[in-house]
C-alpha cells in the first residue's frame, strides 16, 4: 500500500496547540469529612473513554463532587486542552469540577479511533461536520449531568470551540447555567479582505520573509489547506509580537499525554481536524467554516452569555465579536476586551475566566 502519511504531512500544516491508544485510568475517589462538614465530599479524578454517539471519546473530570461543573470546549478543532489542563486549571479545580473533552478527531479520541494511516480515502470517508460535533457536545453534557448528579453545567468554548459552544447552548439551553466564549468565532472567512489585512501589516513592518510567503500563496480562495496554514502562521507571528505570552510552563504535556503514540495521535488528529475545518478541494474534503454564520443563525440565547476578547486578536477580531455581542439577545450578557491579548490563552484570559465562572449563579 502506498504510504500517504508523508504525502499528507506536506499538505497539512500544524497550527494550534498540539493519547496510550487504549489507556483508561480508573476513577479515583477520595472521601473526606471534618467536624465542620455537613456533607460528605468526594474528590473526583477520572480519565476515561466514554461511548458518545457510537465512538469512544476521551473525557477527564477533576474536582470536588459538591462543586459546579465547567465543561471546556477546546479549539483547533484539533487542539485538546486535556494534556495541559492541570497546568492551567489546578487552582480553579478547588472551586469547580473541571471537565476536558477530546472532541471527535482530536487527541486521545482520535487515537482510540484512528486508522492505520491518515489517507485521503480516510478523510473522504470520515468527514467532520458541525452538526455531528454539536450532537456529540450535547451527548457529553447529558452524560456529565447524569454521571455527576448535577442539574446544569457552565459551558466554556474557545476559538473553534466557541462556534461549537454556541451551537450546543442554543440548541439545548436547558442543560446549562451560562455560556462563556473566548476568541468568539462569528462568520469565519478566509477571503481577500482577511489576506489584505495581514499583507498590509507585513508591508508596514517591511517583513520581507512574510511578504515572500504571502506572495507565494497569493490571495484566497485557496484549494489547499496548506495555503491557509501558511497564511495563519504569518498572522500568528504578528499576534505574538503584540501580546503578552502565556507562561512557558503552561503548554507542557502532562506525563500521561507525552508518549510517542500520544504525540503522534495529537499531530495526526490536528491534521485531520484542520483539513476538515478549512477544507481541501484536491483531497475532496468539504469545509466546516462554510457552515458557520452565527450572526445569521444564533442570536437568541436563553441563558447568560459572556464573551472574552483579545484586543490584539487577528484571527477572530474584536470588530466581529463585538458586532455579534451587540446583536445577541440574552437574559444577561457581558463583553470583556483584554489588552495585550491575542487569540490564545494568557494569564489575563485565565483570570477573566475565573472571574466570570465565580460570578455565575449555579443554585
Amino acid at each position: 500500500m502506498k504510504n500517504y502519511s508523508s504525502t499528507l504531512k506536506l499538505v497539512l500544516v500544524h497550527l494550534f496547540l498540539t493519547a496510550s491508544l487504549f489507556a483508561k485510568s480508573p476513577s479515583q475517589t477520595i472521601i473526606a469529612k471534618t467536624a465542620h462538614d455537613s456533607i460528605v465530599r468526594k474528590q473526583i479524578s477520572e480519565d476515561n473513554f466514554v461511548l458518545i454517539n457510537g465512538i469512544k471519546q476521551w473525557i477527564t473530570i477533576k474536582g470536588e463532587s459538591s462543586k459546579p461543573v465547567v465543561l471546556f470546549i477546546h479549539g483547533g478543532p484539533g487542539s485538546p486542552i486535556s494534556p495541559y489542563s492541570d497546568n492551567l486549571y489546578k487552582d480553579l479545580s478547588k472551586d469547580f469540577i473541571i471537565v476536558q473533552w477530546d472532541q471527535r478527531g482530536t487527541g486521545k479520541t482520535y487515537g482510540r479511533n484512528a486508522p492505520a494511516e491518515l489517507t485521503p480515502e480516510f478523510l473522504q470517508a470520515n468527514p467532520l461536520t458541525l452538526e455531528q460535533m454539536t450532537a456529540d457536545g450535547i451527548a457529553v453534557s447529558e452524560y456529565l449531568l447524569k454521571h455527576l448528579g448535577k442539574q446544569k453545567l457552565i459551558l466554556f468554548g474557545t476559538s473553534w470551540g466557541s462556534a461549537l459552544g454556541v451551537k450546543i447552548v442554543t440548541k439545548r439551553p436547558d442543560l446549562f447555567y451560562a455560556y462563556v466564549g473566548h476568541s468568539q468565532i462569528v462568520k469565519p472567512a478566509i477571503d481577500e479582505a482577511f489576506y489584505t489585512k495581514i499583507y498590509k501589516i507585513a508591508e508596514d513592518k517591511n517583513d520581507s520573509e512574510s511578504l515572500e510567503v504571502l506572495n507565494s500563496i497569493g490571495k484566497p480562495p485557496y484549494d489547499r489547506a496548506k495555503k491557509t496554514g501558511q497564511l495563519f502562521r504569518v498572522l500568528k507571528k504578528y499576534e505574538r509580537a503584540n501580546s503578552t505570552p502565556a507562561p512557558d510552563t503552561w503548554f507542557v504535556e502532562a506525563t500521561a499525554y507525552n508518549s510517542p503514540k500520544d504525540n503522534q495521535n495529537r499531530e495526526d488528529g490536528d491534521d485531520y481536524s484542520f483539513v476538515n475545518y478549512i477544507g481541501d478541494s484536491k483531497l475532496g474534503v468539504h469545509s466546516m467554516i462554510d457552515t458557520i454564520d452565527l450572526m445569521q443563525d444564533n442570536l437568541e440565547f436563553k441563558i447568560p452569555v459572556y464573551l472574552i476578547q483579545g484586543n490584539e486578536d487577528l484571527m477572530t477580531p474584536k470588530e466581529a465579536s463585538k458586532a455579534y455581542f451587540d446583536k445577541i439577545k440574552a437574559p444577561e450578557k457581558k463583553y470583556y476586551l483584554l489588552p495585550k491579548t491575542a487569540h490564545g490563552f494568557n494569564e489575563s484570559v485565565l483570570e477573566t475566566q475565573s472571574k466570570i465562572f465565580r460570578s455565575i449563579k449555579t443554585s
Side-chain angles (χ1 to χ4, degrees):
M1 177 183 292
K2 182 177 179 181
N3 186 338
Y4 285 101
S5 296
S6 59
T7 303
L8 283 175
K9 291 298 179 186
L10 297 176
V11 175
L12 308 178
V13 180
H14 300 305
L15 296 170
F16 302 97
L17 304 176
T18 49
S20 116
L21 194 58
F22 298 101
K24 179 174 180 178
S25 298
S27 169
Q28 298 178 18
T29 302
I30 301 171
I31 300 177
K33 186 176 176 69
T34 71
H36 301 288
D37 287 332
S38 59
I39 60 171
V40 174
R41 304 183 180 198
K42 293 192 301 181
Q43 195 66 29
I44 304 168
S45 181
E46 298 182 8
D47 307 88
N48 296 318
F49 285 109
V50 178
L51 185 63
I52 301 292
N53 289 334
I55 69 168
K56 293 292 185 71
Q57 303 197 34
W58 184 253
I59 296 174
T60 70
I61 308 173
K62 294 190 178 181
E64 186 190 295
S65 62
S66 65
K67 303 299 184 180
V69 182
V70 183
L71 170 58
F72 287 77
I73 310 294
H74 65 71
S79 304
I81 304 176
S82 50
Y84 320 103
S85 187
D86 287 347
N87 297 342
L88 295 167
Y89 298 118
K90 186 174 182 179
D91 287 341
L92 195 65
S93 67
K94 297 173 184 176
D95 297 309
F96 296 90
I97 299 174
I98 304 299
V99 179
Q100 301 293 351
W101 162 44
D102 286 14
Q103 298 162 25
R104 184 180 295 258
T106 297
K108 281 188 178 290
T109 298
Y110 177 83
R112 180 66 174 81
N113 302 279
E117 296 179 60
L118 179 55
T119 64
E121 290 78 12
F122 180 83
L123 285 164
Q124 292 161 17
N126 296 275
L128 292 178
T129 68
L130 185 57
E131 292 76 16
Q132 176 66 72
M133 298 181 79
T134 299
D136 285 354
I138 291 171
V140 168
S141 301
E142 291 175 328
Y143 163 78
L144 292 170
L145 292 178
K146 182 177 180 180
H147 181 63
L148 297 172
K150 301 292 184 178
Q151 292 185 331
K152 295 184 179 183
L153 317 170
I154 298 170
L155 193 75
F156 171 82
T158 179
S159 189
W160 146 259
S162 70
L164 182 56
V166 165
K167 293 294 183 180
I168 292 168
V169 300
T170 54
K171 191 166 185 177
R172 288 295 307 275
D174 57 300
L175 303 177
F176 306 100
Y177 289 114
Y179 167 68
V180 183
H182 167 247
S183 297
Q184 181 66 53
I185 284 177
V186 180
K187 183 179 174 20
I190 313 304
D191 56 15
E192 186 172 336
F194 186 79
Y195 173 92
T196 300
K197 181 177 182 178
I198 301 169
Y199 197 97
K200 179 68 164 54
I201 296 173
E203 281 189 322
D204 290 346
K205 294 181 175 296
N206 293 315
D207 184 351
S208 58
E209 181 181 356
S210 295
L211 287 170
E212 183 178 353
V213 172
L214 295 172
N215 286 324
S216 70
I217 63 175
K219 296 178 180 179
Y222 301 129
D223 59 353
R224 309 309 309 268
K226 178 182 178 180
K227 290 185 177 181
T228 302
Q230 290 173 295
L231 178 63
F232 282 4
R233 281 191 168 180
V234 175
L235 174 152
K236 286 178 172 291
K237 174 181 177 179
Y238 297 138
E239 284 193 338
R240 287 193 298 270
N242 294 313
S243 60
T244 302
D248 292 338
T249 56
W250 277 13
F251 297 111
V252 177
E253 293 85 357
T255 303
Y257 295 85
N258 200 22
S259 71
K261 188 63 177 178
D262 285 332
N263 296 333
Q264 188 65 53
N265 288 335
R266 278 198 304 279
E267 289 185 7
D268 288 348
D270 192 24
D271 284 345
Y272 168 71
S273 298
F274 180 67
V275 75
N276 273 279
Y277 181 64
I278 297 299
D280 190 302
S281 61
K282 290 192 176 181
L283 287 173
V285 180
H286 297 291
S287 165
M288 285 201 292
I289 64 172
D290 290 343
T291 67
I292 301 172
D293 186 352
L294 304 188
M295 188 70 83
Q296 176 69 32
D297 301 329
N298 299 99
L299 293 174
E300 299 280 345
F301 291 79
K302 294 183 179 180
I303 59 175
V305 175
Y306 308 90
L307 298 187
I308 304 171
Q309 172 67 47
N311 190 64
E312 312 304 329
D313 188 342
L314 298 173
M315 184 74 72
T316 53
K318 59 186 176 183
E319 293 81 8
S321 66
K322 186 59 165 63
Y324 179 58
F325 174 83
D326 290 341
K327 287 282 188 179
I328 64 175
K329 295 180 180 179
E332 178 183 350
K333 62 178 186 177
K334 292 184 180 180
Y335 187 87
Y336 298 81
L337 183 63
L338 307 184
K340 299 297 290 181
T341 300
H343 188 73
F345 289 176
N346 63 10
E347 289 179 324
S348 182
V349 172
L350 262 63
E351 287 170 2
T352 305
Q353 278 183 338
S354 179
K355 175 183 175 181
I356 295 170
F357 294 157
R358 295 176 197 283
S359 75
I360 294 170
K361 295 179 180 179
T362 57
S363 61

